[in-house]
Structures are given as C-alpha cells and as structure tokens.
Amino acid sequence: MTQTATRETALKEAEAACLRRGATLTPLRRQVLELVLDADAPVGAYALLDRLKATRPGAAPPTVYRALDFLLEQGLIHKLERLNAYIGCTDAGHGHAHDHHHPHQFLICRTCGATTEITDHGVAHAIEAAARRAGFALAEATVEIEGTCARCLA
Amino acid sequence: MTQTATRETALKEAEAACLRRGATLTPLRRQVLELVLDADAPVGAYALLDRLKATRPGAAPPTVYRALDFLLEQGLIHKLERLNAYIGCTDAGHGHAHDHHHPHQFLICRTCGATTEITDHGVAHAIEAAARRAGFALAEATVEIEGTCARCLA
DNA sequence: TGCACTCTGAGATATTATATCATCGAGCGA
DNA sequence: TCGCTCGATGATATAATATCTCAGAGTGCA
Ligand SMILES: [Zn+2]
Ligand SMILES: [Zn+2]
Ligand SMILES: [Zn+2]
Ligand SMILES: [Zn+2]
C-alpha cells in the first residue's frame, strides 16, 4: 500500500466521519487536512498557510486556524503542544473512528523530528487511575514523549 | 506551616540546589522564581515581566525568558505547554532534589485553573514501558491532564 | 594588564494565535 | 419571490508568546 493510497484512504474516512456527525468537510478544510497529511512531520500553522497560499492567494492566518480548529474538533488531526505543530491522526478510522477524542500519546524524536502517534492502553489506564486517586475528573490528557527514535538509535 | 514559610523554604532549597550544581541563583533569577512561586496558578512570561517591571523598570522579554530558561534547566520550575505558562516545581527538594528533571505530571482544572503537580510512578512506568516497546529512548515526557478538580466537582 | 567567561541591558524582530467586521451563499419558511 | 438565519469564508488588524543580536558590566585569572 503506497503512501498516496493511505492518504486517499484517510481522506475518504475523514469525509465519512464528518458526514456521520453532520459536520461538513468543505474544500478548504479538506485542503488543509491534505496539507497536514502530506507533511512527513508535524507542521506549523504558518507553514500550512504558506502552502495554502500557493492555490489560495487570499489566505490569512484565520483561514488556516479556523480549518485547524475544525479538524481538531473532529479528531482528524492533533496538536503537538511542545512543537506548536499539527499532525494527522493515525488512528482515525482504525478501530474507534467515531470517537472524536481518543486517548493517544506521541513519541517525538529530538534527532530527526519523526513523530509517531501511539494508543497505549497502559499509559491511558495509568493516567485514569492517577486522576481518579486525586478525585479529578479527566477530560483529556496530553502525553508527549521526547527522546530518540529507534531509527536514530541504530 | 504558612504559605510564606513554604515559599521561603522553597527558595532556600533552590539556593542550595544551585550551589550543589555550581549554578548561580542570581538576584534576578531568584526574583523571577519568587514571582512564579507567589502566583497561585501558572503564570505567563509576560505577566511575570509586568510584575518584574515594578522593581526593575528596564526589564524586557529576554530578561524574563533568560531567567525562566535557567530555572527550567535547574528543575526549579516547569512549563505547562497547554497554557504557555510556568509553575514552581512542587517536588524540588522533597525526595529527589538533586534530580534536575524528575518525572512528573500535571492535573489542570479547566474550571478554576488550579494546577497540581503529581509524581505518579504508575504513569511514569507505563510511559517508560510504552517507549521501550517502540524501541524509543525516552528523554523526557510531558503529561498534562485536563479536567475538573475535586474542589470544583464538589 | 589582558583575556575569558557569565550575566544583564536594550532594542529589534520572529513566531504563534485571536478579535472583529464584512460578505457570500445555501436552506427555509412566510 | 422575498426576507431571514446560519455556517463558512474574506480581509484587516492586533494580541500573545518567544528569540536574535550586539553591547556593556563585573569577576576571576594568567
Ligand atoms: Zn489520533
Ligand atoms: Zn529519529
Ligand atoms: Zn517538579
Ligand atoms: Zn477546579
């Protein structure tokens, strides 16, 4: 399965997921999603804006931020808080497509920048347990693990 | 033990910790640390700058960011990535004072803003295990748990 | 004295994100 | 058809966060 194929699959699933929820993946939003998916690493909003301007000269910061907000809301992308950058959700459509906000974690390589989304239930459960012990009602957890990826270690 | 007393204790321990490592907690750095500790919630860099200007009119963004960098480096404060704000390390000096960067997590209340640092070994171990399974060499993990605190739930 | 080093001052600039108001078009009922 | 509302986008300005760069002051040391 080629990269392009997985991208097309992801886009189709995104359309479907939005439809199910009564949300609209407009051409603009779809284009921003494509730009995020095309990048091979997390992308900043202004990098997206630059690329967007190639085909949409009038684009401005709110253009891209509004699209990003929508995509975040729909769970189609995630924000990496440490990097102020955005990345496509790897799990969208693979198991819990209808979950807007599934628990997830990121592995961020400081050497090559590669960023991998994982869904580790051990981590998720440990966080739930810690919150429960503190009498804290968990809404969402940000987990960003920085270090060196397997490729860079080899 | 009063709040002021714990603050003074924290400052003394900070001095001691810096000394041990051959780092210098200069008056400026100490003052920024005091400002962070005095706040009853995470503080933004520009809020610190405003307060700093009261006694140090020439202060500029680099003044506060340089101090924050030092304090982060020394493990005396932490940054909350979701909030772009800084908070004093609760654990400095209580158990692993000499650890520059101990594993830690935050519970952030979306209702009242209260932010609590915890050191949950279950979470820490789960993250280590997840990284290991991915062949990833962990350097540092950001864990920020958002939701509603016990007080706001009551 | 001369030099290296750390810290701070000062100004400019870069980067990330939001506020506000106007416009456009689809949907829809009167 | 008209007028209304609503969601989406265009367009401009501004806010909030963070960094770059050069200069000067102090300290310790050869
Ligand atoms: Zn995901
Ligand atoms: Zn790597
Ligand atoms: Zn801490
Ligand atoms: Zn609360």
Side-chain angles (χ1 to χ4, degrees):
Chain A
M1 188 191 264
T2 67
Q3 182 60 36
T4 305
T6 66
R7 195 196 73 146
E8 291 309 322
T9 304
L11 284 169
K12 282 210 183 70
E13 280 164 359
E15 302 256 28
C18 288
L19 251 178
R20 276 199 303 279
R21 298 174 199 133
T24 320
L25 188 63
T26 63
L28 173 59
R29 290 164 175 172
R30 189 190 154 102
Q31 191 182 348
V32 172
L33 178 55
E34 286 179 41
L35 289 171
V36 172
L37 294 175
D38 283 350
D40 57 353
V43 221
Y46 280 74
L48 291 170
L49 178 54
D50 284 345
R51 293 169 204 181
L52 200 53
K53 278 178 176 163
T55 60
R56 206 179 274 261
T63 311
V64 64
Y65 278 105
R66 285 192 288 227
L68 289 171
D69 285 347
F70 173 87
L71 298 170
L72 287 167
E73 182 63 29
Q74 296 300 317
L76 299 172
I77 64 172
H78 299 297
K79 177 174 183 184
L80 287 145
E81 299 290 343
R82 304 270 317 208
L83 307 177
N84 293 317
Y86 305 84
I87 193 171
C89 175
T90 311
D91 285 1
H94 297 121
H96 37 225
H98 48 293
D99 291 4
H100 269 203
H101 301 295
H102 66 99
H104 62 278
Q105 305 89 34
F106 287 105
L107 298 169
I108 305 171
C109 179
R110 284 178 175 167
T111 302
C112 70
T115 298
T116 308
E117 178 176 356
I118 61 177
T119 301
D120 186 286
H121 297 287
V123 172
H125 290 154
I127 286 174
E128 282 161 23
R132 198 160 42 239
R133 274 195 290 281
F136 188 94
L138 184 153
E140 198 176 359
T142 299
V143 181
E144 300 181 6
I145 304 170
E146 287 183 274
T148 311
C149 77
R151 245 177 71 83
C152 286
L153 282 171
Chain B
M1 188 192 265
T2 67
Q3 183 59 34
T4 306
T6 66
R7 194 196 75 149
E8 290 309 323
T9 304
L11 284 169
K12 282 210 182 70
E13 279 165 0
E15 302 256 29
C18 288
L19 251 176
R20 276 199 302 280
R21 298 174 201 133
T24 318
L25 188 63
T26 63
L28 172 60
R29 290 164 176 174
R30 189 190 154 102
Q31 190 182 350
V32 172
L33 178 55
E34 287 178 39
L35 289 172
V36 174
L37 294 175
D38 282 351
D40 57 354
V43 220
Y46 280 74
L48 292 170
L49 178 55
D50 284 345
R51 293 168 203 182
L52 199 55
K53 278 178 176 165
T55 60
R56 208 179 272 260
T63 311
V64 64
Y65 278 105
R66 284 192 289 226
L68 289 172
D69 285 346
F70 173 86
L71 297 170
L72 287 167
E73 181 65 28
Q74 296 298 317
L76 298 172
I77 64 173
H78 299 296
K79 177 174 184 184
L80 286 145
E81 300 289 343
R82 305 271 316 210
L83 308 178
N84 292 317
Y86 305 84
I87 193 172
C89 175
T90 311
D91 287 1
H94 298 122
H96 37 226
H98 48 293
D99 290 5
H100 267 205
H101 301 294
H102 65 99
H104 62 279
Q105 305 88 34
F106 287 104
L107 298 170
I108 305 172
C109 180
R110 284 178 175 168
T111 303
C112 69
T115 299
T116 308
E117 178 177 356
I118 62 177
T119 301
D120 186 286
H121 296 289
V123 172
H125 290 154
I127 286 175
E128 283 161 23
R132 199 161 38 240
R133 274 195 290 281
F136 188 93
L138 184 153
E140 198 176 0
T142 299
V143 181
E144 299 180 8
I145 304 170
E146 287 183 274
T148 312
C149 77
R151 245 176 72 81
C152 287
L153 283 172

